[in-house]
Amino acid sequence: MLKEEVLSLLLNAREPVSGEGICKTFGVTRAAVWKTIDQLRQEGYGIDAAPKRGYTLAFVPERLDTALVRAHLSGHPWQALTTAVPSVDSTNNACKRLAAEGAPDGTAILTGCQTAGRGRPFVSPPGGLYFSVILRPHAKPEALMHLTAMVAVAAARAVFAVSGVYPDIKWTNDLVLGGKKLCGILTEIGIEAESREVDYAVVGIGINCEHAELPPEVAAMSADLE
């Protein structure tokens, strides 16, 4: 986790961060710091080093990256459970596979491109943010009847926080801007055979973040945050 923690420190720093300061903050050696900085550079992060001043994050790679996502989640209990992948059939499918293997509450998969899933038609090209999270509520299915609606409200608030635009909610599983779809939400649950309680719930969210190459019939009814 040192890579994510160092990246988080550099992301939030308003001035250069010294190697000695990183050592003291995380209780590691100078060699560990140098190794981590070198690893981040090899992964495409621009990190400048000034003698007697320290390290400055100059730029980040233009891709959805696990280290970067985790850096933004520094201190969150789900930080280490979040993984970004370049492409996946469906983040919901990926999380359901992980849930069946015993993945814990808070496990999340993010991607910029899905290749298969549900929808008429189903299109998830580069230009969107698609992610799913595993929840372990230990409840009867009927207790989750409002889960999708609650997720829709949370997603709308998140969009507002980063864009200043509060989308409308088309109950219960779409966010819309100007009458066009901005975000879709899909909730799926797995039931324990004996107790008939929820084994897991997988909540998937797909947000159109920038203009993407969509089929004309899909583009006509889609909105994005660009």
Side-chain angles (χ1 to χ4, degrees):
M1 291 295 292
L2 181 60
K3 181 173 67 173
E4 288 83 3
E5 298 300 344
V6 169
L7 185 55
S8 178
L9 186 64
L10 295 176
L11 276 170
N12 294 300
R14 296 185 178 181
E15 56 186 26
V17 180
S18 69
E20 182 180 359
I22 296 175
C23 291
K24 290 181 178 179
T25 299
F26 301 115
V28 297
T29 64
R30 276 296 185 96
V33 172
W34 294 333
K35 182 178 180 180
T36 300
I37 295 296
D38 182 62
Q39 184 180 4
L40 287 168
R41 285 171 171 161
Q42 290 185 31
E43 293 178 6
Y45 291 88
I47 300 177
D48 297 333
K52 298 183 179 180
R53 296 192 65 195
Y55 299 105
T56 302
L57 184 64
F59 61 86
V60 300
E62 293 186 4
R63 66 175 186 271
L64 193 59
D65 182 74
T66 296
L68 186 59
V69 172
R70 290 182 179 181
H72 282 292
L73 292 173
S74 182
H76 194 283
W78 294 354
Q79 180 188 23
L81 300 175
T82 302
T83 302
V85 297
S87 177
V88 69
D89 57 346
S90 157
T91 56
N92 263 38
N93 287 346
C95 279
K96 286 191 291 183
R97 290 191 291 266
L98 292 172
E101 296 170 0
D105 181 78
T107 299
I109 299 293
L110 298 85
T111 190
C113 181
Q114 298 182 112
T115 59
R118 299 180 186 179
R120 297 189 301 270
F122 177 84
V123 181
S124 295
L129 173 62
Y130 316 107
F131 60 98
S132 299
V133 61
I134 298 171
L135 304 175
R136 300 281 191 180
H138 303 294
K140 295 293 185 182
E142 55 268 27
L144 303 186
M145 62 182 300
H146 299 303
L147 178 59
T148 301
M150 294 167 67
V151 171
V153 172
R157 290 174 176 174
V159 168
F160 177 73
V162 300
S163 70
V165 176
Y166 201 103
D168 294 321
I169 300 175
K170 182 180 177 181
W171 297 103
T172 60
N173 62 337
D174 286 342
L175 303 186
V176 296
L177 282 177
K180 296 184 176 182
K181 184 173 179 177
L182 172 70
C183 167
I185 300 165
L186 174 62
T187 302
E188 300 181 87
I189 62 174
I191 307 296
E192 291 181 342
E194 294 185 5
S195 68
R196 303 307 297 169
E197 288 192 347
V198 176
D199 179 26
Y200 64 82
V202 170
V203 179
I205 302 174
I207 302 175
N208 301 327
C209 296
E210 59 184 59
H211 181 69
E213 294 185 6
L214 299 170
E217 67 274 16
V218 179
M221 57 185 183
S222 299
D224 58 57
L225 294 177
E226 188 176 38

